[in-house]
Amino acid sequence: MTELKIAVFDGDGIGPEIMAPTVALLRKLSARASEYSLTFETLAAGAGHYAKTGDALPKASVAAARAADAILLSAMGLPDVRYADGTEITPQIDLRFEMDLYAGVRPVRIAPGYPSPLGAPGDVDFVLIRESTEGLFHTKGKGTVTEDYATETLKLTRATSEKLCRFAFALARQRRDSGRGPGRVTCVDKANVFRAFAWFREIFDAEAAHHPDLGADHAYVDAMALWMVQKPAAFDVLVTENMFGDILSDLGAGLMGGLGLAPSADIGDANAVFQPCHGTAPDIAGKGIANPMAMILSAAMMLDWLAVERDLPALAADGTRLREAVERVLQSKEVLTGDLGGSATTQQVAEAVGAAL
Ligand code: ATP
């Protein structure tokens, strides 16, 4: 029996409302599993915690999260709680830098039941990997602004680019071996205009050469925006720079039918954080009507990741069951929250997912 400790950040706004039923579903899976067991430790952080204590991300929470086997994080931040300089409180972004979580994993899936604005464009199941610690975010908060001009600097490093490309090919191999993709990585860049991206492409090609059994190709980011709409079923794993990935991942969430369905992971060499793509939805917080699906799908990604890390196929099987349970609820259309056109509560959706499990 492998014991796994999960660090839990409840977050702000709808954060705790979607985290509680997600942890309950994970406890249910864990109780039935014979190969693994999950324990949970709730850690303090977020805008609410900052308002109370003046500290948005306590050092003790970071240390406990580092020591955990995986980190489950709900949305954080509140519109009216800010630092003295007026900037937003975003411990989820601070954690990315603190733990060097360079690979932002953003799955894009459209299966029957997903309310995609594209209708039914075939079996869409690809993963966008967004570099998350450098690129155009290199000068985040430190850009130069004068009366006459403003600059930000894009920086790519060899070390992170190589790790990122290695990660992308490893994911493509896992997906191929588990029957979820053909095993192909597409480098998304702007190598026709910027030398930095031509350099990144060379690093990508060098990594591709180590994987003759996997496919590798390139696309310009502007063309990719078009193709994600026109032929989303054509892709497997995409790897790209931070800002390009920031934009394309929201396009991906839109293609799936909304933020309430978009899970994500931020993965580094030693730690991984799993969280929904959406924010704290202050407009509906406290009403018990938030859609918990993105949070639950993020938990399913966590089980998939732990399965590979711990070489425990039972975890991957439960990750798949959890995702398929959500998809069955989506497909039946009977128990959906307001963002998906229904009138169910968070709790009712979570119970329907539990029943589908
Ligand atoms: P952030 O900048 O923190 O990402 P945001 O203001 O861009 O936040 P959200 O907090 O994600 O965006 O909210 C955008 C809209 O989507 C809001 O109207 C919100 O109610 C809705 N929304 C977001 N997440 C959910 C959810 N899980 N269930 C239902 N509605 C949601």
Side-chain angles (χ1 to χ4, degrees), residues 222-295:
D222 42 342
M224 183 51 72
L226 179 80
W227 292 336
M228 277 175 65
V229 175
Q230 284 187 338
K231 50 171 189 175
F235 303 106
D236 185 6
V237 174
L238 312 179
V239 63
T240 195
E241 180 270 338
N242 205 344
M243 182 61 125
F244 290 164
D246 188 27
I247 297 166
L248 290 182
S249 58
D250 266 31
L251 173 56
L255 294 179
M256 283 194 278
L259 282 171
L261 289 175
S264 78
D266 291 307
I267 298 180
D269 291 334
N271 297 102
V273 173
F274 299 83
Q275 65 177 120
C277 285
H278 60 72
T280 55
D283 51 334
I284 57 165
K287 297 183 178 161
I289 55 168
N291 185 354
M293 287 176 165
M295 184 78 243

Side-chain angles (χ1 to χ4, degrees), residues 156-237:
L156 307 176
T157 65
R158 175 171 296 281
T160 298
S161 302
E162 285 180 350
K163 281 198 295 191
L164 187 77
C165 292
R166 211 174 301 135
F167 181 94
F169 282 94
L171 183 65
R173 173 166 287 108
Q174 276 163 35
R175 282 169 53 85
R176 184 197 62 191
D177 293 350
S178 62
R180 282 193 75 174
R184 196 176 81 252
V185 186
T186 304
C187 175
V188 181
D189 58 42
K190 194 74 183 167
N192 51 337
V193 177
F194 296 104
R195 294 175 68 188
F197 288 115
W199 181 83
F200 181 78
R201 204 180 256 214
E202 281 172 22
I203 290 174
F204 172 86
D205 288 344
E207 183 61 32
H210 294 304
H211 308 276
D213 57 323
L214 297 171
D217 55 16
H218 315 104
Y220 298 131
V221 64
D222 42 342
M224 183 51 72
L226 179 80
W227 292 336
M228 277 175 65
V229 175
Q230 284 187 338
K231 50 171 189 175
F235 303 106
D236 185 6
V237 174

Side-chain angles (χ1 to χ4, degrees), residues 22 26-28 45-46 51 85 93 109 113 138 140 147-148 154 158 161 163 170 194 221 252 304-305 320 345 347:
T22 302
L26 288 171
R27 283 191 198 282
K28 186 169 172 166
D85 66 1
I93 298 179
R109 190 165 156 76
H138 172 63
K140 174 178 160 294
E147 191 62 22
D148 302 318
L154 178 144
R158 175 171 296 281
S161 302
K163 281 198 295 191
F194 296 104
V221 64
D304 286 343
W305 179 78
T320 301
T345 63
Q347 190 55 30

Side-chain angles (χ1 to χ4, degrees), residues 20 26 38 134 179 183 205 282 332:
L26 288 171
L38 303 177
E134 49 186 41
D205 288 344
S332 85

